[in-house]
Amino acid sequence: MDCVLDVSGLRMRYGQTDVLAGVSFTAGRGEVLALLGPNGAGKTTTIEILEGFRMRSAGRVSVLGTDPAHGGEAWRARTGVVLQSWRDHSRWQVRELLAHLGRYYAPYSTPGLTRPWDVDDLLATVGLSEHARKRVRTLSGGQRRRLDVAIGIVGRPELLFLDEPTAGFDPQARREFHDVVHRLADREQATILLTTHDLDEAERLADRILILAGGAIIADGSADQLSRAMSTRCEVRWSRDGQRFVHAADDATAFVRDLFRQYGESIQDLEVRRTSLEETYMALVREAENSGPRRLTAVAA
């Protein structure tokens, strides 16, 4: 994959406090990354440095091949930002607003790089086609959030930053929003870096999860890889002759093999449960707080 984000040894100091103390990670084209961490871990600072809105204290940062500290307007046109707060465009019609904003990107349109969306295609992508002629103030909360995304991607960015994208969403709106994110990554090959406190959302959306604590990345991998890397015991559940059984096993594969060797086809409803992402996250953050950062880089099984 083409490298879109390349961060090495990123540091940020406020006075005598190191908020970021050597953050390093990469991201390829079309990847969806979730940046997790407790409040105050430095997630917002990291994102603002990558966006070019905050100067770093030290380290090397490359975003779309450019140091964001020196990125010009043409570089910014290749990125999109969706913040937590909703922009106030209440008097505009949805289609009218997107068409207007798209014109600002036209001077930076380059074949193979950024090019403004056709407005109707953009409306369809974010699920707002039937609301195109509505005033923004008449949209529901979920529809307004999708409009936020449409505004963030109107220039067809190669890199999109999403900050707590579904805060306050109901389950249906969250599912629809997740569909939008998958379409952008799969069809547009956009790289997406999102911050969220919703671990279920991170597991559903992200190809890779980065956990930031103690000023450093302490874990990097898919939800399943991180759980496997942290898990020392698995919970095996099964039923036999109408009875349910649960057993904690250090080696689930060996235990299941022995189980079938002993009871054969009478084993039913077999389930092997590994450590959940929430349990993994809590264990890693707790370890970082008690013993200092230790990076866990998961390797695919």
Side-chain angles (χ1 to χ4, degrees):
M1 292 183 293
D2 297 336
C3 189
V4 174
L5 292 173
D6 189 357
V7 180
S8 179
L10 174 61
R11 293 181 176 272
M12 188 68 200
R13 168 170 285 193
Y14 296 108
Q16 299 300 312
T17 303
D18 286 319
V19 176
L20 302 176
V23 169
S24 300
F25 66 92
T26 63
R29 192 168 303 280
E31 261 195 302
V32 180
L33 269 67
L35 182 61
L36 308 181
N39 291 331
K43 300 187 299 297
T44 298
T45 298
T46 301
I47 296 297
E48 289 178 347
I49 291 171
L50 298 180
E51 293 169 343
F53 295 136
R54 188 179 296 275
M55 295 294 293
R56 63 189 182 272
S57 300
R60 180 175 58 82
V61 180
S62 175
V63 178
L64 294 168
T66 297
D67 185 336
H70 307 293
E73 290 187 3
W75 172 79
R76 291 190 182 280
R78 299 170 63 191
T79 68
V81 179
V82 179
L83 302 174
Q84 287 187 47
S85 58
W86 171 67
R87 301 168 178 83
D88 184 12
H89 301 295
S90 59
R91 297 183 180 181
W92 290 80
Q93 289 185 359
V94 171
R95 193 182 193 286
E96 179 185 46
L97 173 62
L98 295 176
H100 171 73
L101 294 176
R103 296 188 187 102
Y104 288 99
Y105 291 87
Y108 308 107
S109 181
T110 304
L113 296 176
T114 49
R115 57 206 183 282
W117 283 82
D118 173 83
V119 177
D120 291 325
D121 288 345
L122 177 55
L123 287 166
T125 295
V126 298
L128 288 175
S129 296
E130 61 187 67
H131 307 289
R133 299 298 179 183
K134 290 183 179 179
R135 299 285 179 186
V136 173
R137 64 172 174 265
T138 68
L139 300 178
S140 69
Q143 291 162 357
R144 289 182 179 184
R145 197 61 179 149
R146 278 181 280 180
L147 178 59
D148 277 346
V149 175
I151 292 171
I153 67 172
V154 68
R156 217 172 198 132
E158 299 166 67
L159 172 62
L160 180 64
F161 298 98
L162 297 175
D163 186 13
E164 295 288 344
T166 61
F169 273 27
D170 61 45
Q172 180 62 32
R174 182 177 289 107
R175 184 176 295 110
E176 292 172 355
F177 188 89
H178 290 175
D179 289 341
V180 171
V181 172
H182 286 305
R183 283 198 295 271
L184 291 173
D186 296 341
R187 299 180 189 176
E188 295 296 313
Q189 282 294 287
T191 301
I192 299 172
L193 179 59
L194 67 97
T195 62
T196 181
H197 285 99
D198 186 333
L199 298 181
D200 180 64
E201 178 168 78
E203 189 166 5
R204 288 175 180 272
L205 286 181
D207 300 307
R208 278 168 50 218
I209 291 171
L210 307 175
I211 300 178
L212 180 63
I217 300 294
I218 61 172
D220 180 352
S222 71
D224 183 62
Q225 289 168 356
L226 294 180
S227 295
R228 287 173 180 271
M230 279 294 292
S231 180
T232 56
R233 295 175 71 83
C234 296
E235 187 177 79
V236 182
R237 296 171 177 263
W238 75 98
S239 62
R240 182 172 61 85
D241 299 331
Q243 289 185 290
R244 291 289 295 169
F245 299 90
V246 180
H247 179 81
D250 291 323
D251 186 342
T253 301
F255 178 80
V256 170
R257 187 180 294 119
D258 289 341
L259 198 62
F260 275 97
R261 185 181 298 116
Q262 186 174 359
Y263 298 108
E265 295 182 359
S266 65
I267 299 295
Q268 296 180 327
D269 305 318
L270 179 67
E271 177 185 0
V272 178
R273 182 183 179 276
R274 295 187 181 275
T275 305
S276 69
L277 177 59
E278 180 177 358
E279 292 165 335
T280 299
Y281 170 81
M282 294 300 295
L284 286 167
V285 171
R286 187 162 49 246
E287 179 182 314
E289 291 174 345
N290 294 335
S291 307
R294 174 183 67 88
R295 184 162 182 142
L296 173 67
T297 302
V299 179

